[in-house]
Amino acid sequence: MKRRPPLPFVVFALMVFCAAGCVRTASTRFYTLSALSDSKDRIPKIVDNSAVGIGPVNLPDYLDRPQIVVRKSPHELHLAELDKWAGTLKYAIPRVIAENLSTLLASDHIFVFPWKSNLSIRYQVVIDIIRFDAQLGAHADLEAQWTIFENTGRTPVATRKSTLRRSATGGDYAALVQAESELLSELSGEIADAIVKIERL
């Protein structure tokens, strides 16, 4: 006669099986920041043929990771293990800002650091990201210090600090990423305005 396993063992085995099934069905979601598709604030031919270089863009250590960072309190951060960036912010942020400036300034002469040594960069924008995170279902925040140099880092012609906030009330990570993309668009607008003012001097 075949001996049956004890009931506690069967219950434990079922629990392990169910847990394994849950792990298999929990899939990771990946997100990317988006640039402006178009803008009513486009400023054509203001910086015609003046090459603009974006970068270096420096990030704080807590953002240099694949997980999307959510702020739970002023001193507590949460790393979303199932909601991650499809790439790295180190490369995504300058790429998006460059695309935004290309749209805002109606220019094809926008380059991301490091650029080719034979390029003649008229304005270089160096950005230090101080904060770039959000509270899920509430808002997203961007704080950045940035400097515009003329002739590739030789002469600083403008220095600003931007402290920006956008609503992210959708309650999910898609709404959060959309809000963070809008923050980068707003930052790009401030940089574009500063470049235009310098050109008009």
Side-chain angles (χ1 to χ4, degrees):
M1 183 175 177
K2 211 171 185 180
R3 189 176 178 184
R4 295 181 179 178
L7 185 59
F9 175 82
V10 174
V11 173
F12 176 76
L14 287 172
M15 290 175 63
V16 171
F17 177 78
C18 291
C22 292
V23 170
R24 283 196 298 269
T25 57
S27 57
T28 303
R29 295 168 291 271
F30 294 93
Y31 302 84
T32 183
L33 295 165
S34 58
L36 288 165
S37 56
D38 199 359
S39 176
K40 297 177 182 178
D41 301 321
R42 183 187 293 263
I43 311 168
K45 298 183 180 178
I46 292 295
V47 290
D48 190 28
N49 296 323
S50 294
V52 177
I54 305 301
V57 175
N58 303 307
L59 298 179
D61 290 342
Y62 81 91
L63 289 175
D64 190 16
R65 60 188 71 248
Q67 300 94 335
I68 294 179
V69 177
V70 175
R71 190 171 290 274
K72 299 183 72 174
S73 74
H75 306 290
E76 183 181 1
L77 300 174
H78 170 71
L79 304 182
E81 293 299 335
L82 294 179
D83 296 272
K84 299 182 179 182
W85 296 111
T88 64
L89 289 180
K90 180 179 179 180
Y91 297 105
I93 290 176
R95 173 189 59 79
V96 169
I97 292 175
E99 290 182 31
N100 289 340
L101 287 179
S102 181
T103 298
L104 291 167
L105 300 174
S107 172
D108 294 327
H109 304 286
I110 313 294
F111 303 94
V112 175
F113 182 87
W115 43 79
K116 294 180 180 179
S117 59
N118 61 346
L119 282 176
S120 180
I121 300 295
R122 175 72 180 277
Y123 300 110
Q124 179 179 0
V125 186
V126 177
I127 305 172
D128 290 313
I129 302 293
I130 302 167
R131 178 179 177 182
F132 190 54
D133 53 56
Q135 291 186 14
L136 196 61
H139 51 76
D141 295 284
L142 171 61
E143 187 175 349
Q145 184 88 29
W146 49 276
T147 300
I148 300 175
F149 294 90
E150 194 166 7
N151 300 322
T152 316
R154 295 178 182 175
T155 309
V157 290
T159 298
R160 304 281 188 276
K161 184 175 182 180
S162 300
T163 303
L164 309 172
R165 172 170 287 185
R166 281 295 177 107
S167 173
T169 55
D172 57 15
Y173 284 92
L176 183 154
V177 171
Q178 176 61 35
E180 292 188 331
S181 296
E182 291 172 2
L183 287 173
L184 291 180
S185 297
E186 191 172 349
L187 175 63
S188 302
E190 293 187 3
I191 294 171
D193 288 342
I195 292 174
V196 169
K197 288 178 182 178
I198 295 166
E199 282 280 289
R200 287 174 172 170
L201 290 177

